[in-house]
Structures are given as C-alpha cells and as structure tokens.
Amino acid sequence: MTVDAYFNPDFTITKKLIFLLLSFAGMLVCSLGIFIYSKVYARKYPSDKREEYLSIDFEIRLQKFFEMLIAGTAVMSFSCAYVIINHVYSLVASGKATNLTRIERYLTSTWADGKDFILLFLILFSCVINTVLDGFIIRLKVLTSEEKATMRMLAMFYVILILMYLNNIGDESEYGPVMMYYFGLMIGRFVYFDASFKDFVTNIKNVIINLPYMLIDIALTGLLCYIGFVSGYFLERNYYIVGLFHTQIFILACTFIIHHAMRLFYFNKKH
C-alpha cells in the first residue's frame, strides 16, 4: 500500500487545469458576493466617506473568508492524514498488506501503541500549517488575532459537519475519534479556565456573526467536490475525505493567486 493508491492516475494535468479554473471561477463568484454585500452595507455611511469605508470593509470581510479557507484546509489535512494512516494500519492488521519494510513495520507498531499521541501531534502540526499559511504565504495582516481565532474555530465546526455527513452517507472510514478531538478543542475555545460568562457570550456572538463565511465555504467546497467525483477526477475508493482535501488544495491555490493579485493591484494603484 503506497501513497499513490490515494491518487487518480486519470486526473491528468489538463484535467487539473480545468478543475483549477473551475475553483478559480467559484472563488471569484464568492469574492464578488462579498464585495456586493460590503457595497450595500456601505450605503449607511456618508457619501464622502463611503468609498474609503467600502475598501476597508471589503478587505476585512474577504480576508475573513480567506482565513476560513486556510483554516479549513489545515484542519482537513489532519482528518485526511488520520484516515489514510488508519486505513493503512487496518490493511496491515488484517494481513492484506504484506512485505512491509522495516520502517513500515516500525510505523505500524508506533500507531498501534501511541495512536492518541500521534493524533495530538497531527493536530499541533495542522496548527503550524495554518500559522505558516496565513502568516507568511498568504499574509492576512488586516485581521486581528481574535478574528483569526474565530475563523479557525468555525473551520473546526465546518470539518465536524463534513465528517458527520460522511458518517451519515456510509463512508467506510470511522471519523469518531477525529470529531471528538475537534469537539474538545471547540469546547476549550468557548469555556476555558479563567473565562467569564461575558467571554462566553462574546465568543458565541462572534461565531454567529461570522457564520455566513462557513456556509459559503461549505457551498463552494461541496459544489467543487461534487463536480470532481462526477467527472472522475476523484475516486470513491480513496474515501470521500481525500477528494475533499484535494478540493481544499485547489481552493487554497486560488486563494493564493487572488490574494497576491489584489496586493499587486493595490500597490500599483497606490503608486
């Protein structure tokens, strides 16, 4: 059992470019929708300050959406890694995977003996991925740390909903342990040691206010993932979550292009 088993050999470069264009079109539609909302919302401000407010408001809202996408990809990477590792372990345990190398046998025994610690490490690693992405590769400098934390929490809720759906449609993999980790992290975000009732209410309010970004992400990812499976770009035998993760990667690539294109446009306009 190799990593190649989780890829579709028929998903050629041409088809990947087509899917990238579809992802880019979906991202542009979502970004346009956010811009229209900001423009409508800006009408309550005086006409002489409306354009300035619109520019600031749109940038904040768009970066919140980008953070949602980035955090969703990071969280999904943990879920996908768990499914693949657990599947390989199941093949080894059942005797279907043989002729293992020394390293593969070591990794298998490590997973059997220290599964919980490995899952914890994977969660921490996904957090590192998130920080690298939104701090260096796709720098979201406008958002505050509190706004980023809210969007990351929503990303966990987004993945939990997806995993619940996959369990409901009868995906062969078991997502219970992953969901329990996410639930624990979310509860810790709402109720921590020195939190007051006011803090709890504030966190709930922030989640509700930013909920539309999660719904947009679900709609975009769901539509693209559906197209990917129907077109044969993704394979059901690789588990639905692998196709979902591939979709997130394409969306992330489009996020990178749009973000830096807008930065370049703003720089040229300013000078």
Side-chain angles (χ1 to χ4, degrees):
M1 192 68 185
T2 63
V3 176
D4 294 336
Y6 294 96
F7 293 92
N8 182 4
D10 295 330
F11 195 18
T12 60
I13 295 295
T14 302
K15 292 179 179 179
K16 288 177 181 177
L17 288 175
I18 294 173
F19 194 73
L20 181 65
L21 289 175
L22 290 172
S23 302
F24 193 75
M27 283 290 296
L28 288 180
V29 170
C30 293
S31 301
L32 179 61
I34 295 173
F35 176 76
I36 292 174
Y37 180 84
S38 291
K39 194 163 187 178
V40 172
Y41 194 77
R43 289 179 179 175
K44 70 175 187 178
Y45 286 84
S47 57
D48 58 329
K49 296 182 179 180
R50 194 170 296 168
E51 287 299 321
E52 181 183 356
Y53 171 80
L54 174 61
S55 177
I56 297 173
D57 183 72
F58 174 60
E59 186 173 19
I60 292 174
R61 294 182 188 278
L62 190 62
Q63 289 204 7
K64 282 185 176 181
F65 179 54
F66 287 170
E67 180 63 37
M68 179 74 214
L69 298 174
I70 292 171
T73 304
V75 176
M76 190 68 73
S77 68
F78 164 73
S79 305
C80 193
Y82 166 79
V83 169
I84 293 176
I85 295 172
N86 198 54
H87 181 221
V88 173
Y89 173 75
S90 299
L91 291 176
V92 174
S94 62
K96 295 181 181 179
T98 57
N99 300 324
L100 300 178
T101 64
R102 184 176 179 180
I103 295 178
E104 289 172 337
R105 285 195 297 270
Y106 172 76
L107 293 175
T108 302
S109 62
T110 301
W111 179 255
D113 298 332
K115 182 178 180 179
D116 292 334
F117 292 103
I118 296 176
L119 287 175
L120 180 60
F121 170 77
L122 289 174
I123 287 179
L124 294 175
F125 186 66
S126 68
C127 293
V128 172
I129 292 175
N130 200 152
T131 302
V132 170
L133 285 172
D134 66 13
F136 300 97
I137 298 178
I138 306 174
R139 298 184 66 186
L140 306 179
K141 297 184 290 185
V142 175
L143 300 183
T144 65
S145 57
E146 185 66 26
E147 288 172 330
K148 286 186 177 182
T150 299
M151 302 314 296
R152 291 181 182 186
M153 182 168 55
L154 272 171
M156 283 189 285
F157 186 46
Y158 153 79
V159 173
I160 287 174
L161 290 177
I162 289 177
L163 297 182
M164 290 174 65
Y165 173 75
L166 294 181
N167 273 337
N168 187 55
I169 64 176
D171 195 336
E172 296 179 3
S173 189
E174 176 57 52
Y175 300 107
V178 181
M179 286 191 287
M180 290 306 297
Y181 271 90
Y182 291 152
F183 274 125
L185 289 172
M186 286 187 66
I187 292 173
R189 180 68 179 86
F190 282 111
V191 185
Y192 42 93
F193 182 73
D194 58 346
S196 64
F197 181 74
K198 183 179 179 180
D199 295 329
F200 175 78
V201 172
T202 300
N203 288 330
I204 293 292
K205 182 180 178 181
N206 289 337
V207 167
I208 294 174
I209 290 174
N210 292 286
L211 200 59
Y213 299 105
M214 187 192 74
L215 298 179
I216 295 173
D217 192 4
I218 289 177
L220 175 63
T221 306
L223 178 60
L224 289 173
C225 197
Y226 175 78
I227 293 173
F229 279 108
V230 170
S231 304
Y233 297 165
F234 309 138
L235 301 176
E236 292 184 21
R237 66 172 175 80
N238 291 342
Y239 296 116
Y240 290 108
I241 196 169
V242 176
L244 277 163
F245 181 62
H246 285 161
T247 302
Q248 292 280 168
I249 293 298
F250 278 92
I251 292 176
L252 188 64
C254 295
T255 303
F256 175 86
I257 295 171
I258 293 174
H259 175 74
H260 286 285
M262 290 185 66
R263 292 292 94 198
L264 184 63
F265 173 78
Y266 175 78
F267 178 81
N268 291 334
K269 186 178 180 180
K270 188 176 180 181
H271 292 80

